[in-house]
Amino acid sequence: GAGVSQSPSNKVTEKGKDVELRCDPISGHTALYWYRQSLGQGLEFLIYFQGNSAPDKSGLPSDRFSAERTGGSVSTLTIQRTQQEDSAVYLCASRHRLGGGGNEQFFGPGTRLTVL
Amino acid sequence: TQLLEQSPQFLSIQEGENLTVYCNSSSVFSSLQWYRQEPGEGPVLLVTVVTGGEVKKLKRLTFQFGDARKDSSLHITAAQTGDTGLYLCAGAGGTSYGKLTFGQGTILTVHP
């Protein structure tokens, strides 16, 4: 597709369950970012991928959060043993490696996660 | 840790009025971006400013980057109902890979 896609668009889960969120970046974009958007918190950086490696995982809130990227394309964010405070919109963005000084990132529509 | 303070958090105005949103930090950013986000969608880039003192215009929107590259503003002239949305500033700096630090956002509502 032409843009970043994410699935599912909405996910409702019970506390303690594991969830997987998927991101399909723009074809050819080597950089991929995950952010979390909560009410009153703005967008928080979670993790950055360059190709399949993640040189910056500093934003992951706890060891219940993990992410991987395969084939330099699709990325999956996994949250284990979900808690109610994990409820948020999870956004994925991609950027071309040669994006220039502007660091333009293109965002997907997000996955709204609700933990009951 | 780089922080961006965005104000105001909420703005409710009548169509035709002017408004300004501010983004301030004690940190220097290599570039600053402004995004607009509609409900149920991801942020969409409006503009990137890179040079201190830079001013960019996008129709009725004027973006300014402070001389010291620590602050920025978004000014909208003669607001329209279609301008309603969430506006976010985001700064890039401190890394070579474009990690963004976002402000808290400004929810703009323009009434007819």
Side-chain angles (χ1 to χ4, degrees):
Chain A
V4 178
S5 61
Q6 292 186 247
S7 61
S9 55
N10 281 285
K11 176 72 176 179
V12 180
T13 190
E14 293 180 349
K15 177 182 174 180
K17 295 286 181 68
D18 298 351
V19 295
E20 284 190 355
L21 312 179
R22 177 187 169 108
C23 172
D24 280 274
I26 293 173
S27 177
H29 282 195
T30 59
L32 187 147
Y33 310 78
W34 282 97
Y35 294 87
R36 179 168 71 172
Q37 186 172 30
S38 308
L39 278 176
Q41 296 292 326
L43 270 80
E44 303 171 272
F45 167 83
L46 296 178
I47 187 170
Y48 157 72
F49 284 93
Q50 180 56 46
N52 291 337
S53 64
D56 189 347
K57 306 177 183 179
S58 63
L60 294 178
S62 73
D63 58 8
R64 296 186 295 104
F65 288 72
S66 63
E68 65 175 12
R69 190 178 184 194
T70 55
S73 179
V74 172
S75 176
T76 302
L77 177 68
T78 301
I79 308 173
Q80 295 179 312
R81 305 180 302 281
T82 53
Q83 303 294 313
Q84 289 182 332
E85 60 263 29
D86 299 336
S87 295
V89 176
Y90 289 82
L91 290 159
C92 174
S94 70
R95 178 174 72 96
H96 193 283
R97 179 67 177 91
L98 300 177
N103 297 314
E104 181 170 358
Q105 298 180 20
F106 295 86
F107 283 82
T111 294
R112 180 175 295 278
L113 175 66
T114 303
V115 182
L116 301 176
Chain B
T1 303
Q2 295 182 311
L3 295 174
L4 268 174
E5 295 291 332
Q6 189 172 341
S7 63
Q9 188 176 357
F10 300 96
L11 201 49
S12 180
I13 62 172
Q14 295 297 126
E15 198 168 28
E17 293 183 353
N18 302 332
L19 67 109
T20 302
V21 179
Y22 299 93
C23 202
N24 296 290
S25 176
S26 58
S27 303
V28 175
F29 291 97
S30 59
S31 67
L32 200 137
Q33 302 176 346
W34 285 91
Y35 290 83
R36 179 179 163 185
Q37 186 176 16
E38 303 276 4
E41 299 179 9
V44 175
L45 182 68
L46 294 174
V47 78
T48 300
V49 284
V50 179
T51 306
E54 183 175 5
V55 176
K56 281 192 174 179
K57 292 193 174 183
L58 191 67
K59 297 183 180 178
R60 295 175 294 101
L61 278 60
T62 302
F63 305 85
Q64 189 164 8
F65 201 14
D67 292 340
R69 291 186 287 128
K70 294 182 179 180
D71 56 87
S72 181
S73 64
L74 157 61
H75 182 79
I76 301 179
T77 303
Q80 300 176 356
T81 55
D83 295 328
T84 293
L86 173 65
Y87 290 82
L88 296 155
C89 63
T95 71
S96 62
Y97 50 84
K99 176 179 176 179
L100 293 176
T101 299
F102 280 85
Q104 299 94 323
T106 296
I107 298 175
L108 171 64
T109 304
V110 182
H111 301 280

